[in-house]
Structures are given as structure tokens and as C-alpha cells.
Amino acid sequence: MMQSRAVAFMGLLLLTTGLAACRRAEDNVTAQQQQAAVAGVLAGSCEGVRPQPDSLDGAFSVTYAHPGNRDLRLHIFQPAEDAGPAPHPAILFFFGGSWRVGEITAFQEQADAFVAAGFAAILADYRVKCRDGSNALQSLNDAEDAYEWLRHHAASLGIDPKRLILAGGSAGGHLALATALQADEGEKPAALVLFNPVVDLATPAPFYLKPLAWWISPIAMDVGALPPTLIFHGTADSKVPIASIRHFCANAQAEGRTCQVMEYEGADHSFYTSHVPDPRLGTSPHAHTLEAALALGQAVAQGSRWP
């Protein structure tokens, strides 16, 4: 779907592999500070980054694409037989890692919870810099290919494509969101569940990359057909400033779309992975975000209004 883009801009987008900070120009973080954050991500070591596994326990693993020199796989977890007859609702997760690193099992716990709730849950692999020498645009190509493959094979997998949710964290949240926004009308996902997603790649980019980074930034895309969207975000996120998320959702709401931000006071990036109880929440950030995600999932599964 986007392979021609990758061919045309692969070299020019080299630095966008690490864009993990974002803020609109009117916010109080300077462009120099943002660019420094990007440089820090780009300079990160690839030491210790392991190959992704070919299979995961309990999953049906299938190759959806073969760019470069390795297979990219979807790991599909099906609900138990007592979940009712197929087709089932489904959720497709994209891991985070600044388009540079990341583990396929990052959302394993969330996937298990959705399976227990009667969903098929899918963990998607995609190219990242440290494994594939790739960039953010190529990662987005892969995400779109994964979504297209899953929709095309939904019937054989017992999945209802009209009840398919896209989800992801950080860079993976960017991939889920951009994939949804660029999907053709009639092929949009049913909803989005996003954990501190990157929405603006352009503001922190060097000037010569800004047009290209803007091109794949959700904040610059048409949000007039945005599916119902739930975003979890910390107010103290040091990589993806909360102001960029508020700005994105305000744009969507102005177009009459449902975009809800659940803000977590004082929380930094990836806060949702913590299992440590937070007295303000009455539970852990992991459990709190998962409960809200499952509530949206059940609304999709039942065809009811959310929120």
C-alpha cells in the first residue's frame, strides 16, 4: 500500500527512526530541546537487541510480509470455545520502542486479558532500526500491511473485521493511529486504544526532514473519519508531551469524532506498564488502563455506544 513511499524516501527519513518526542510549536518545550531528545534516541545502542521469536506459546503464528531479509509475523491468540461462535471481535497490538527497538510480547498481558473477554488478540511484528536498519516510514508500511493482511484473512481466522480494534504504545501507538487514519473508507478499524502514542513527528525533526516527518504525523492527517479513540497518557510524559495529545483530540472533537484522553497526573512515558498500586487510582496503572481498554472493547463487541 505504501511501498512506493518507502522507496522514494528511505534515505531522507533515516533520522525519523527515533522520533519519540513531540510538541506543537506553541508549547513550552523548545525545538532545540526536542531535537536533543531525538538525537539521544537515535544514538541509543542496539546492543542486546534480540531477534523476535518465530512463535509464541498458545498462538497461531503466520507470516504476513517478507521485506528485507526476514519474515514478519502475526501471533494470533484465539478465545476459548465457550466464548461463543465465530466470528469474534479482535484487537491488533503494535509494540513500542521508538521505531528502533521493541519486543513482540510487550502487550502480552493485555492480549491475554482480551482473549479471556472473548476476543481474538494479535501481536504484530514490524521492522525496527536495530533489527532491520529501517526507518519510521517502513515501520508504518509494515503496520498497514499487517492490518490489510488481517482484514483479508479475517473470515478464515474467525474474526469479524467490523469489530477489529487497533492498539499500540508509543511508536506502536503512532503506527496504529496512522494506519487507521490512512485506511480507506469502509476499512477503518472499529476503535483505537492508544498508550502514550506519538502524534507529531515533525516538530522535533531537523528542518530538512520536517516535510517528510509531517507527512506521517497523525496530527497533520485528516481526522474527519477517526474511529472512536481512547488514549492513556501521563501529564509528565518526557517523550510525548501531553499537550500534543490534547491538541490532537481537540482537532478530532472539532470534527465531531470521539477522542477521549485519560490523563494520569505526574506519570511519565510507559507508565501503563507499572503493576505498582497507585493510591490515587485504587489499583496499578496497568490494571487501571486495562480495565478502561476492556470497557471500550466490550462496547465494540456488543455494538453499543462508547463512552
Side-chain angles (χ1 to χ4, degrees), residues 87-241:
H88 299 111
I91 184 166
L92 172 61
F93 289 97
F94 296 100
F95 61 83
S98 303
W99 308 276
R100 186 176 65 83
V101 296
E103 300 296 329
I104 189 68
T105 54
F107 283 102
Q108 182 70 69
E109 291 180 303
Q110 289 87 347
D112 290 345
F114 269 88
V115 169
F119 278 68
I122 303 96
L123 303 179
D125 191 14
Y126 60 90
R127 285 174 290 178
V128 295
K129 181 183 178 184
C130 285
R131 292 191 184 95
D132 306 284
S134 56
N135 56 52
L137 178 56
Q138 291 169 304
S139 297
L140 181 53
N141 290 340
D142 296 341
E144 291 191 319
D145 286 346
Y147 179 58
E148 184 177 10
W149 189 97
L150 192 59
R151 283 186 54 84
H152 183 73
H153 293 85
S156 63
L157 295 169
I159 289 172
D160 183 353
K162 294 183 179 179
R163 294 186 293 162
L164 174 55
I165 299 170
L166 293 187
S170 192
H174 160 257
L175 299 181
L177 178 54
T179 295
L181 290 174
Q182 298 190 127
D184 293 337
E185 197 66 33
E187 297 184 356
K188 302 283 188 185
L192 292 164
V193 176
L194 309 175
F195 301 81
N196 47 238
V198 180
V199 298
D200 178 7
L201 289 80
T203 299
F207 74 93
Y208 54 90
L209 287 178
K210 284 186 184 294
L212 302 179
W214 192 251
W215 191 31
I216 59 173
S217 292
I219 206 164
M221 297 177 183
D222 181 8
V223 294
L226 179 74
T229 299
L230 174 60
I231 301 178
F232 304 107
H233 216 90
T235 61
D237 195 312
S238 58
K239 294 184 177 180
V240 183

Side-chain angles (χ1 to χ4, degrees), residues 13-23 30-44 98-100 129 198 200-206 208-210 213 238-239:
L13 279 170
L14 178 61
L15 294 183
T16 64
T17 57
L19 296 179
C22 57
R23 186 180 290 264
T30 68
Q32 289 82 0
Q33 288 173 307
Q34 294 174 64
Q35 289 171 9
V38 171
V41 172
L42 286 169
S98 303
W99 308 276
R100 186 176 65 83
K129 181 183 178 184
V198 180
D200 178 7
L201 289 80
T203 299
Y208 54 90
L209 287 178
K210 284 186 184 294
S238 58
K239 294 184 177 180

Side-chain angles (χ1 to χ4, degrees), residues 212-302:
L212 302 179
W214 192 251
W215 191 31
I216 59 173
S217 292
I219 206 164
M221 297 177 183
D222 181 8
V223 294
L226 179 74
T229 299
L230 174 60
I231 301 178
F232 304 107
H233 216 90
T235 61
D237 195 312
S238 58
K239 294 184 177 180
V240 183
I242 185 66
S244 66
I245 302 302
R246 292 169 178 161
H247 186 87
F248 174 83
C249 267
N251 287 346
Q253 291 163 1
E255 294 287 338
R257 312 311 296 174
T258 299
C259 187
Q260 178 177 321
V261 183
M262 291 185 63
E263 297 188 9
Y264 291 78
E265 187 65 32
D268 201 351
H269 203 63
S270 299
F271 73 95
Y272 61 90
T273 64
S274 174
H275 289 263
V276 178
D278 184 334
R280 296 171 298 180
L281 302 176
T283 186
S284 69
H286 169 82
H288 195 263
T289 55
L290 179 57
E291 180 181 11
L294 286 168
L296 171 55
Q298 287 304 318
V300 168
Q302 297 166 8

